[in-house]
Amino acid sequence: MKGLFCRRGVNDAMPKFVIQETSLAEALGSNQIRVKVKACGLSPLDLKLLSDVGFQRDLIPVGREVAGVVLQVGPKVSTFQQQDEVVGILPLDSPCSGLCDVIDIDEYYLVQKPEKLSSVCVAGALHDGLCAYTALHTHARIAAGHTLLVMDGASSFGLMCIQLACYHGVKVLTTSHSPQKRTFLEQLRPSVGVQEPLVVRVIPVDNSSSDLLSVVLEETGGLGVDIVIDSGVRLHEEEEETEETKFLPHKNDIISVLGVGGHWVTSHQDLQLDPPDCRLLYLKSASVSFLNPEVWTASTAQQGRYLHILKDIVEKMSAGVLRPQPEEAVPLYEATVTMEAVQRHQKKKAVVQL
């Protein structure tokens, strides 16, 4: 049986992705499930995070968002039975690649897949749904009447945040990086109920004259937003712009648009706040949270809550509340080339159909 693995590059060189033979244990653990994988989502590997948590293997399994069918259950498994369709995210230290034909996984990482939801759809969107839930519920604690600013709302993660926030009665503003994305965001409508736009205002940031602060203050009556969710920030004005960073907001822009008691949820791992930044946050009594969805599988402290989130995500996707951007599935023989493109950020993500 073959799976996709990552071999670390030497001296910060680009890692190599290789197909390797792998085998399963003869007997299942007491709480393990053997799953035949139907689809697997590919996201960029965070090699620095893996090193920080002590994951030092030469070959790192690739592909963690999986959907499939239960083939066999361990003696103490009570949640699933054979032929159940399941979906879940493999933990960071999983020895299995999600691109193996068959994998063994603890039952505590899986939930039932609704029948009407395709394996490709859920495998491609589960990670973004988990990130959106973690940002909005765990960190920002959204409530009806809040005002939210989502940076780059046309991204797969941003789209999940917008739909989830609107479902809970939150007023949403977002930014767009191109006229096409702006049109797409302005035309977003809920799948059920009143057909009003999901986004109150789309703020274009595809040129240097973006008036983010003035537009946000205009839409909020000069008060600022309750929550900001970014997809990365620039720390310095003179920072050299690359294809990846040219549309990112400056940290001062984020702090400026926050209202009193506001909450900033950032995915920037190396965020640096200078004393003036902290002073402004202090004056607003605002707070900053770091979005790292891997903590759910790194600790068993809140396992029940984690499974509840996964279950709610797939149920909302099945009901049409969350409608992810469709991902075109690629066959297994293209997995290596596809993963290289994902790791280089030439593609945001991909789905492999087995």
Side-chain angles (χ1 to χ4, degrees):
M1 186 170 58
K2 295 180 179 180
L4 183 63
F5 292 82
C6 170
R7 182 177 284 119
R8 295 173 187 269
V10 180
N11 297 327
D12 296 328
M14 191 67 186
K16 301 289 185 183
F17 296 96
V18 295
I19 300 290
Q20 288 283 120
E21 285 288 342
T22 183
S23 59
L24 293 174
E26 291 185 10
L28 283 172
S30 57
N31 288 104
Q32 282 191 318
I33 295 172
R34 187 156 289 171
V35 177
K36 180 175 178 58
V37 179
K38 286 188 169 183
C40 176
L42 299 179
S43 300
L45 278 179
D46 191 337
L47 297 174
K48 186 174 186 303
L49 173 63
L50 290 169
S51 296
D52 289 344
V53 298
F55 196 87
Q56 299 292 347
R57 293 179 186 168
D58 293 333
L59 289 175
I60 301 167
V62 174
R64 295 174 49 220
E65 301 110 72
V66 295
V69 178
V70 175
L71 296 178
Q72 186 181 346
V73 298
K76 292 187 178 179
V77 173
S78 58
T79 319
F80 304 102
Q81 56 189 6
Q82 289 183 9
Q83 300 306 312
D84 280 350
E85 291 193 283
V86 294
V87 60
I89 300 176
L90 301 179
L92 276 175
D93 60 352
S94 171
C96 296
S97 163
L99 290 169
C100 291
D101 187 45
V102 179
I103 61 172
D104 292 345
I105 178 174
D106 283 353
E107 64 173 320
Y108 309 116
Y109 298 115
L110 297 171
V111 293
Q112 296 271 4
K113 181 182 78 66
E115 200 172 311
K116 64 185 290 187
L117 202 59
S118 77
S119 297
V120 169
C121 175
V122 71
L126 191 62
H127 184 263
D128 289 320
L130 179 63
C131 288
Y133 260 78
T134 306
L136 291 171
H137 287 290
T138 308
H139 293 314
R141 303 194 179 279
I142 59 167
H146 279 169
T147 306
L148 166 69
L149 172 62
V150 179
M151 311 306 294
D152 189 16
S155 66
S156 52
F157 166 59
L159 188 60
M160 282 291 197
C161 288
I162 289 171
Q163 293 174 111
L164 186 60
C166 289
Y167 176 78
H168 289 284
V170 174
K171 176 181 177 180
V172 179
L173 313 175
T174 189
T175 62
S176 65
H177 294 172
S178 68
Q180 294 80 9
K181 290 183 176 180
R182 181 180 183 181
T183 302
F184 167 73
L185 290 167
E186 288 175 340
Q187 292 176 348
L188 279 178
R189 298 291 189 277
S191 60
V192 293
V194 182
Q195 295 297 295
E196 293 182 357
L198 289 180
V199 179
V200 171
R201 183 80 174 264
V202 181
I203 308 166
V205 293
D206 50 327
N207 55 61
S208 56
S209 62
S210 170
D211 298 319
L212 181 66
L213 178 59
S214 60
V215 173
V216 169
L217 293 180
E218 176 189 336
E219 287 292 336
T220 59
L223 299 176
V225 294
D226 299 297
I227 307 160
V228 177
I229 297 178
D230 71 37
S231 53
V233 293
R234 284 186 295 121
L235 301 180
H236 310 289
E237 290 287 2
E238 64 276 6
E239 191 174 319
E240 184 179 349
E241 287 189 354
T242 65
E243 195 64 32
E244 293 177 29
T245 64
K246 66 179 181 179
F247 294 129
L248 294 180
H250 190 270
K251 61 180 178 180
N252 290 340
D253 297 334
I254 301 264
I255 297 172
S256 298
V257 300
L258 276 176
V260 171
H263 203 102
W264 173 15
V265 182
T266 182
S267 55
H268 198 295
Q269 299 182 15
D270 304 312
L271 182 67
Q272 297 175 2
L273 296 178
D274 300 318
D277 303 324
C278 295
R279 178 65 181 172
L280 189 52
L281 286 169
Y282 166 77
L283 291 172
K284 295 185 176 191
S285 192
S287 56
V288 181
S289 292
F290 290 88
L291 178 59
N292 175 18
E294 302 298 349
V295 296
W296 292 110
T297 55
S299 167
T300 58
Q302 299 192 53
Q303 206 161 47
R305 189 177 179 194
Y306 170 63
L307 289 177
H308 175 77
I309 289 173
L310 292 186
K311 184 178 179 182
D312 204 34
I313 291 169
V314 295
E315 286 178 350
K316 280 187 169 58
M317 287 175 63
S318 178
V321 173
L322 297 178
R323 292 170 294 157
Q325 291 176 311
E327 291 285 342
E328 184 178 347
V330 299
L332 184 59
Y333 64 82
E334 293 183 12
T336 303
V337 174
T338 302
M339 186 60 205
E340 287 174 355
V342 170
Q343 190 68 21
R344 291 193 185 99
H345 300 284
Q346 294 169 343
K347 293 183 67 173
K348 291 291 185 183
K349 63 186 314 170
V351 183
V352 177
Q353 189 167 19
L354 282 76

